[in-house]
Amino acid sequence: MKFPAEPFRIKVVERIRQTTRDEREQCLQKAGMNVFSIKSDSIYVDLLTDSGTGAMSDEQWAGLMVGDESYAGSRSYFKFEKAILDITGYKEVIPTHQGRVAENLLFSTICKPGDIVPNNTHFDTTRANVEANHAEACDLPVKEALQPSLEKPFKGNMDVKKLDALLTEKRDKIPMVVMTVTNNSMGGQPVSMENIRETSKVCKKHGVMFLIDCARFAENSWFIHELESGYKNKEIIDIARELFSYADGCWMSSKKDALVNIGGFIALNDIELTKQIQNKLILIEGFPTYGGLAGRDLEAIARGLYEGLNQDYLQYRTAQVRYLGEMLLEAGISIVRPVGGHAVFIDAKHFAPHIPQEQFPGVALTVAMYREGGIRGVEIGSLMFGKNGSNGKDSHPPLELVRLAVPRRVYTTAHMTYVAEKIIEIFKQREKMKGLRLTYEAPMLRHFTARMEEID
Ligand code: F0G
């Protein structure tokens, strides 16, 4: 069997609407060919992100009813705190309403202008929060990460030698080192326990704080269980505990592996630093026993953190994403390999070689996916990263990707088959895909609001 059947049955369903091709064409024109501007009611399978889009379990929904909405000392907060302390082993917990607020609080407290923050690879909001504090976000991925078709495990790893060299040269400018698990910006690739251990050793040698951006720590722990020797007989939760034990703290966008629609936290060993952050928390999020969350959200996270570590769930989850990737691969479509934890990344340059980078081949693929199948993915290429150079011309990133991020426990295998079949149909007639030109772009983060037209 290629795919383990879903380890749940369905108690509540949400209707999704099939649209006609004509309707979708109109939606595209209205949206200026930008799928961010299409209403979700007109989308059949939405693979824009796996963040906050998961389905909660009956246990989590039941938790909402017992949520304690007390302003201070909420019962639900203590359940939330207990779960995080149990899984991470750290001493202190700070609740936030999502990951980027945790980043804002951490970097604005720790970073000084001119500092450098090394990371295996920063996620966009992480980078933006480092840069907002006039510090430099330095990515140190292993070189294999930059070869999308290379089939090698743990391409999410940190280049530990480069990290050591950077710390030797500029220790006084480096207030912390970050490891992102899994490495979202590098194809959702996992990081090995060995690499986390080595990174930890280097951080200890230089006396620098080591933090984990743990949005997808459960998926990462699953890959360690499957791929790294010595972990086959360990419980996933114990693998997670070991992973956290090598660092001084973490922060999490709980909208991923905690299986909730909103939430986040910071967990730290440093009590002084926690106090400083708590003072800011009160100013921008809320009292330290709720952060930016309702009591019922805290209740759902406490339960979701354990559900996200369940072995049957993780086996199904990662196999579902892999199933989608393998269907595309078998049809000759080039994707980032091996398939990562939460998403399949299609190589749009290979998919549509007749569309030059300045005509946004990745966007052309997102347009075709919506037009042919009502499927929404996101371009990670020249629209997202191509900046206007000083000569007025755009620069282009090395890779033109389209991410198909799979929400957790939301779509069935049949939906994945549908998505793959539609994309394969498009691939067979890919010469029909058209490049695009911009008709409007914002000065920053242009991909969210850009308007484009197809070039005939
Ligand atoms: N860190 C990582 C690794 C992430 O993937 C994200 C969000 C964040 C931090 C920020 O958390 O959204 O709760 O504020 N990633 C989403 C995505 C948005 O689509 O990959 P947030």
Side-chain angles (χ1 to χ4, degrees):
M1 185 166 61
K2 269 193 148 185
F3 178 72
E6 285 76 2
F8 50 80
R9 53 186 179 177
I10 296 164
K11 201 184 299 241
V12 176
V13 294
E14 178 185 357
R15 185 175 165 240
I16 45 177
R17 208 165 62 88
Q18 282 276 28
T19 45
T20 63
R21 202 173 183 288
D22 278 354
E23 252 178 272
R24 293 196 293 273
E25 193 59 58
Q26 278 174 24
C27 287
L28 276 172
Q29 297 301 333
K30 222 171 129 194
M33 299 291 157
N34 186 344
V35 293
F36 275 104
S37 300
I38 297 176
K39 289 184 180 158
S40 64
D41 271 352
S42 303
I43 287 163
Y44 183 54
V45 181
D46 199 349
L47 305 181
L48 189 69
T49 178
D50 64 319
S51 179
T53 52
M56 293 208 294
S57 67
D58 51 353
E59 286 283 332
Q60 287 176 295
W61 281 106
L64 300 195
M65 281 313 292
V66 295
D68 174 2
E69 304 303 339
S70 302
Y71 188 94
S74 157
R75 182 175 63 237
S76 301
Y77 173 74
F78 294 106
K79 287 194 204 163
F80 167 88
E81 185 190 61
K82 190 164 172 246
I84 295 165
L85 298 183
D86 174 37
I87 294 166
T88 67
Y90 302 129
K91 295 188 183 128
E92 303 286 335
V93 176
I94 301 161
T96 64
H97 85 271
Q98 64 180 76
R100 67 198 70 183
V101 188
E103 292 166 352
N104 178 316
L105 288 163
L106 273 168
F107 297 127
S108 68
T109 309
I110 299 171
C111 288
K112 294 188 306 300
D115 278 353
I116 303 169
V117 177
N119 193 323
N120 49 343
T121 314
H122 289 80
F123 177 67
D124 320 17
T125 61
T126 324
R127 168 173 291 278
N129 272 296
V130 171
E131 290 173 355
N133 288 288
H134 309 287
E136 183 193 332
C138 173
D139 289 341
L140 296 176
V142 287
K143 60 181 187 310
E144 298 85 48
L146 302 169
Q147 296 167 259
S149 57
L150 179 71
E151 188 80 36
K152 238 189 127 191
F154 301 116
K155 282 164 74 178
N157 282 355
M158 173 92 80
D159 189 327
V160 182
K161 274 206 183 116
K162 276 198 189 152
L163 175 68
D164 195 14
L166 185 66
L167 279 163
T168 304
E169 198 191 334
K170 298 185 173 161
R171 168 64 188 95
D172 57 322
K173 290 204 171 307
I174 302 175
M176 68 173 118
V177 170
V178 181
M179 184 74 94
T180 305
V181 301
T182 56
N183 189 336
N184 184 8
S185 305
M186 286 291 168
Q189 302 291 321
V191 178
S192 70
M193 194 72 92
E194 189 190 1
N195 190 252
I196 296 170
R197 210 180 291 125
E198 291 301 311
T199 302
S200 173
K201 265 194 213 153
V202 167
C203 290
K204 285 211 171 80
K205 180 174 112 184
H206 293 276
V208 62
M209 182 164 63
F210 178 32
L211 298 180
I212 296 180
D213 175 354
C214 69
R216 301 178 180 86
F217 77 96
E219 287 167 9
N220 202 98
S221 301
W222 170 258
F223 282 113
I224 291 172
H225 179 268
E226 289 300 284
L227 303 171
E228 195 162 348
S229 75
Y231 290 93
K232 200 80 206 152
N233 297 321
K234 293 221 161 102
E235 295 287 332
I236 309 297
I237 193 168
D238 290 329
I239 297 174
R241 284 182 180 128
E242 183 183 339
L243 181 157
F244 286 118
S245 75
Y246 296 119
D248 304 299
C250 68
W251 79 88
M252 181 180 196
S253 165
S254 307
K255 299 169 75 171
K256 285 83 171 173
D257 277 356
L259 298 167
V260 290
N261 305 116
I262 197 76
F265 63 83
I266 303 169
L268 295 169
N269 281 334
D270 185 332
I271 296 169
E272 216 21 69
L273 178 60
T274 304
K275 275 194 198 141
Q276 284 179 41
I277 293 176
Q278 273 170 341
N279 289 334
K280 271 193 192 157
L281 185 80
I282 297 174
L283 192 68
I284 66 171
E285 282 278 82
F287 192 74
T289 59
Y290 72 85
L293 295 165
R296 54 180 172 269
D297 298 327
L298 297 165
E299 204 60 64
I301 296 169
R303 293 162 192 235
L305 280 168
Y306 289 106
E307 288 181 18
L309 286 164
N310 177 277
Q311 184 155 337
D312 292 342
Y313 157 72
L314 282 166
Q315 181 176 19
Y316 136 82
R317 159 76 180 155
T318 49
Q320 189 184 45
V321 179
R322 194 173 61 239
Y323 168 82
L324 172 60
E326 282 176 358
M327 276 192 78
L328 300 180
L329 265 179
E330 276 165 25
I333 296 170
S334 176
I335 60 169
V336 174
R337 289 159 71 187
V339 176
H342 66 293
V344 173
F345 294 73
I346 302 175
D347 177 351
K349 267 198 220 171
H350 172 266
F351 197 101
H354 61 292
I355 302 178
Q357 271 191 288
E358 53 274 17
Q359 293 180 15
F360 308 110
V363 178
L365 179 53
T366 63
V367 168
M369 278 169 15
Y370 181 69
R371 182 178 273 145
E372 301 307 327
I375 302 157
R376 176 155 70 173
V378 65
E379 186 250 19
I380 303 182
S382 285
L383 182 65
M384 191 178 270
F385 296 126
K387 287 193 195 121
N388 281 323
S390 51
N391 57 4
K393 286 199 169 161
D394 280 357
S395 65
H396 300 291
L399 299 177
E400 294 285 341
L401 302 175
V402 169
R403 183 180 82 166
L404 308 173
V406 183
R408 294 170 181 77
R409 306 191 293 207
V410 169
Y411 293 113
T412 63
T413 321
H415 286 115
M416 295 301 112
T417 310
Y418 169 85
V419 169
E421 284 175 352
K422 283 288 169 195
I423 294 174
I424 292 165
E425 260 174 47
I426 299 166
F427 186 61
K428 285 185 182 149
Q429 310 177 46
R430 57 193 186 278
E431 64 290 342
K432 285 194 194 156
M433 285 167 60
K434 292 178 187 163
L436 295 107
R437 74 168 77 86
L438 281 159
T439 57
Y440 166 75
E441 65 179 307
M444 277 170 67
L445 296 171
R446 63 180 184 177
H447 55 287
F448 290 120
T449 53
R451 294 187 66 83
M452 287 155 283
E453 62 188 16
E454 287 182 310
I455 302 168
D456 282 316

